Amino acid sequence: MKTALSLIAAAMLTGLALANNQAPALKFDPLPYAYNALEPHIDAQTMEIHYSRHHRAYFNNLVKAVEGTPLAGKSLEEIMPQISKWPDAIRNNGGGHYNHDLFWKVMSPKGGGLPKGPLAKQIDAAFGSFEKFKELFKQAALTRFGSGWAWLCVADDGSLFITSTPNQDNPLMDVVEKRGTPILGLDVWEHAYYLKYQNLRGAYIDAFWNVVNWPEVAARYKKAL
Ligand code: MN
């Protein structure tokens, strides 16, 4: 009896130890600021619906989609470069989760202003000036027909480029035309701006610059090199 109980206790402890050692590969991080923190540029109602319903649904559906596949326990960074091998549910929800997680973190109520340091120099080198960069990024965001994302990315050789992707695709995926590491992303799905801006996607893009978290983008640039 005593032995049986010890065995059960030991099994339970082993189970706990395993659970503790397995950091969840997929996690739904808290929004790094309040829903109303980006006002007036992005309104509280849009933020609440976008984060707690849209992003949450992508995350929950991704967890379900990878369950029982060899992708279970893998990180998003491991999943994205082999996305073409998996069903659309993993592409759409995996991209949906990765893209929104990045999007929340590259914005801040203390955002705006100008990039600094090596990133600022590289933006000037790649696009001519910060103003020209904003113009080209806006163009990419405006001309993405339907739903998708605009990106500032780091290429394999360390250079910067602007691109856009449809739906929830992103430049880490092996299905896009030009691959790279995204360091800044803008969601141009209507759910990201329609309540406040209706059909005026351009006004939403212009407002975005007031909340860009440049120190975070610079940190992602450094890490990508
Ligand atoms: Mn979205």
Side-chain angles (χ1 to χ4, degrees), residues 15-88:
L16 281 175
L18 274 177
N20 286 339
N21 285 339
Q22 286 169 344
L26 298 175
K27 53 191 175 61
F28 189 72
D29 284 347
L31 194 66
Y33 35 76
Y35 290 133
N36 66 358
L38 304 181
E39 287 197 344
H41 311 294
I42 302 182
D43 62 286
Q45 193 186 9
T46 296
M47 285 301 297
E48 179 168 6
I49 296 169
H50 201 174
Y51 172 78
S52 71
R53 299 196 213 164
H54 290 276
H55 184 188
R56 174 56 90 172
Y58 292 124
F59 177 77
N60 290 349
N61 290 332
L62 176 64
V63 169
K64 267 184 236 151
V66 299
E67 219 174 64
T69 76
L71 296 180
K74 295 239 186 302
S75 70
L76 287 168
E77 286 77 8
E78 291 172 295
I79 295 172
M80 296 297 125
Q82 49 165 305
I83 208 78
S84 64
K85 294 196 286 185
W86 301 96
D88 280 353

Side-chain angles (χ1 to χ4, degrees), residues 50 54 58 100 149 168 187 189 191-192:
H50 201 174
H54 290 276
Y58 292 124
H100 288 89
W149 292 75
Q168 295 296 354
D187 189 342
W189 283 57
H191 69 225

